Amino acid sequence: MSRRVKLALYALLCVLCVPFVFPTWWMVTSSVKPISDIFAFPPALVPSRFDFSTYGRVFELQPFGQQYLNSLYIAAVVTVGTMAVAAMAGYAFARVRFPGQNLLFLVVLVGLLIPSEVTIVPLFQMFHAAGLTDTHWPLILVPILGAPGVLATFIMRQFFITLPGELEEAARVDGLGRFGTFRKVALPLARPALGAVAIFTFLHSWNLYLEPIVFLSTPSKFTLPQALTQFVDAYGSPLWNVQLSAATMTALPILVVFVLAQRQFIEGLAHTGLKG
């Protein structure tokens, strides 16, 4: 392309990115604005006066530090657990032949078609009977064994299907069994797919909202999406500047992680055949 065409293309892309970038910019700048300036029209791109005291109030009104740690460790455990389960299940569906294999995989994929709202009541009854409500166990087990785990299994299966059969034959010649082949040959080659699974699983767990408000009732056990709804005044109205400060601290680390890891994410999806 000529230089003029490239400049026109870049200008078009800059215009198209405005609807995606502006809400985040407004959130970050409004978190340090006086509350009277937040809904001013037209909105100011740069605050007329910076007020960082709202970031301190976030930790005064809620146990925000503990809630941040809750989301962090839950997302980490869910990510590791989903990667382990999806890798083994995906390899089994891709490389191990057994009766009813395709039918069983179809049944597993049906889990993607069932909305989480449909299963939330029976799940609550099940965890309540087991005495696990108001604990973090439902927030860990449901994503690993639910729709996110199913999608991760599908991605891993698509990747393992593409592996040449000669690799397994060479591993058998070297005396490796099925699990040894998986651990020493297939799993190291699956790093791009595992990277994609790790990123979208972590993001899904970090942003989980329905399950926390159903299973948790103690503020110190809340996760961040649930905690963001608790910054209200005595009349139940949102404290917008405080809420936006908490939202900024919640969103920015994830945006940074995604920007840094997006190349690995795209490469992982490309290797699984999920292009487009």
Side-chain angles (χ1 to χ4, degrees), residues 70-94:
N70 292 341
S71 283
L72 189 61
Y73 101 81
I74 290 173
V77 172
V78 168
T79 300
V80 173
T82 301
M83 290 171 63
V85 172
M88 290 187 289
Y91 182 79
F93 281 120

Side-chain angles (χ1 to χ4, degrees), residues 26-249:
W26 181 86
M27 176 187 69
V28 175
T29 56
S30 296
S31 68
V32 294
K33 289 179 183 178
I35 195 168
S36 57
D37 295 346
I38 291 179
F39 295 105
F41 187 84
L45 296 179
V46 179
S48 59
R49 180 169 60 88
F50 290 86
D51 180 14
F52 293 96
S53 63
T54 53
Y55 283 87
R57 293 188 63 193
V58 170
F59 296 91
E60 295 173 0
L61 298 177
Q62 291 283 331
F64 195 73
Q66 180 62 50
Q67 293 162 348
Y68 212 103
L69 290 176
N70 292 341
S71 283
L72 189 61
Y73 101 81
I74 290 173
V77 172
V78 168
T79 300
V80 173
T82 301
M83 290 171 63
V85 172
M88 290 187 289
Y91 182 79
F93 281 120
R95 315 302 293 187
V96 181
R97 302 302 173 194
F98 55 90
Q101 177 185 22
N102 294 331
L103 178 60
L104 180 58
F105 184 65
L106 180 61
V107 172
V108 171
L109 288 182
V110 170
L112 290 175
L113 307 178
I114 302 176
S116 58
E117 294 82 2
V118 174
T119 60
I120 195 66
V121 173
L123 284 174
F124 178 82
Q125 293 175 338
M126 181 180 68
F127 284 111
H128 180 71
L132 296 178
T133 52
D134 202 24
T135 71
H136 292 150
W137 280 110
L139 310 185
I140 295 173
L141 296 177
V142 171
I144 293 177
L145 303 177
V150 173
L151 180 59
T153 299
F154 175 74
I155 292 177
M156 297 306 301
R157 174 185 179 270
Q158 295 303 107
F159 177 85
F160 286 129
I161 286 177
T162 64
L163 292 181
E166 291 80 4
L167 294 176
E168 290 187 343
E169 295 176 1
R172 293 193 191 97
V173 171
D174 291 338
L176 292 178
R178 178 68 70 180
F179 185 77
T181 302
F182 165 73
R183 184 171 62 88
K184 295 184 178 182
V185 178
L187 198 59
L189 294 174
R191 289 178 181 175
L194 287 173
V197 168
I199 292 171
F200 83 73
T201 302
F202 189 91
L203 292 177
H204 177 271
S205 179
W206 186 267
N207 295 322
L208 202 62
Y209 179 71
L210 176 61
E211 284 78 3
I213 66 173
V214 170
F215 292 111
L216 301 179
S217 57
T218 303
S220 62
K221 297 179 181 178
F222 286 177
T223 56
L224 290 177
Q226 185 181 10
L228 292 178
T229 65
Q230 306 301 310
F231 295 101
V232 295
D233 59 19
Y235 301 99
S237 300
L239 297 170
W240 290 110
N241 50 356
V242 180
Q243 197 171 86
L244 288 171
S245 299
T248 299
M249 288 189 285

